[in-house]
Amino acid sequence: MVKIAISGGSSEVAREIIDALVATGKHEIISLWRKEPDVTTPGVTTVIVDYTNTPQLEKTLQGVHTVLSFVGGPNIDVQKNLIDASIAAGVKRFAPSEWATSDIPTVPWYAGKGVIREYLKEVNKDKKVLEYTLFQPGGFLNYLAAPQKTTKHITPLGLHIDFQNARALVVDGHLDDPLTFTAVQDLGAVVTRAVEFEGEWPLVGGIVGNRNSIGEVLQLGEKILGKKFEVEHIPVAALEAAEPGTSWLPGLDHPSLSSLPEEQKPAVAKQFWSAYLLSTTKGSWTVSDEWNRLLPDLKYIGTEEFLTEWWGKSKD
């Protein structure tokens, strides 16, 4: 048993991971909050902290073995303070707020992750003072079931491959580009095992549930749905201009965008999905397989298995 501290525990991914950790019944888990949360999780102790007060954070983290951070967006200073307090408190392991893909320069909304990666390198440059890993599962397989909800917490976000309407958006000449898809349930399984892992954590912690090309996913979709997908091809130049010119775009359903005014959503959707589709052409959504190799007995939900479970009945 180890003591685990969760930062950013209100995020959907964090809540999935917390549930997986609690289910083991092995660990003492504390969740750090700025104010009292509306909902608490049985088996998790809430601790109110001031992220600007590093000495207070240090005191809170005394005796903690592993810190898992899910603090995203612009909260770079929060994570830096959390790292500093972890080092001062003698925390053994730290997982920064990654939980996505590896190649972030082509994914502009992940710029903050790059800052924290560099900060962790900096604090460890003279000698290792904090063991850490970058948990990188690629994209969530669960999103391919949208609008169906496949887990307790993850919002079913639509993608450029839309099974509900048997349609897809594909960048010209990039049908064979690979993507990594990992079910969030499998991410939870990896993290619970990683917390107990007796060896040293890898700096890059890639997790490959599945690696499929866009064309392969479309082929599976047509096999499972029993009908052809309507595919719209987009020139790279159109995406670079953030003017995809398609008859549809996926929605902007992520909780982080819930406060976005309705009148701004069409323009933001063009920018977001143009950037996302461009990033797929540069291999940005493929990750390495460090945790697969370190935990070789773990079995992952397969793409075909998942799609058949959630869309197979559509053939009837």
Side-chain angles (χ1 to χ4, degrees), residues 173-185:
H174 290 274
L175 192 62
D176 295 327
D177 289 351
L179 303 173
T180 300
F181 291 107
T182 303
V184 72
Q185 299 95 316

Side-chain angles (χ1 to χ4, degrees), residues 142-183:
N142 310 75
Y143 292 160
L144 291 177
Q148 302 171 97
K149 192 167 185 175
T150 63
T151 67
K152 184 176 179 180
H153 303 294
I154 294 292
T155 297
L157 305 180
L159 293 178
H160 60 302
I161 305 172
D162 177 4
F163 275 75
Q164 183 181 33
N165 297 295
R167 60 186 182 177
L169 304 176
V170 176
V171 185
D172 277 346
H174 290 274
L175 192 62
D176 295 327
D177 289 351
L179 303 173
T180 300
F181 291 107
T182 303

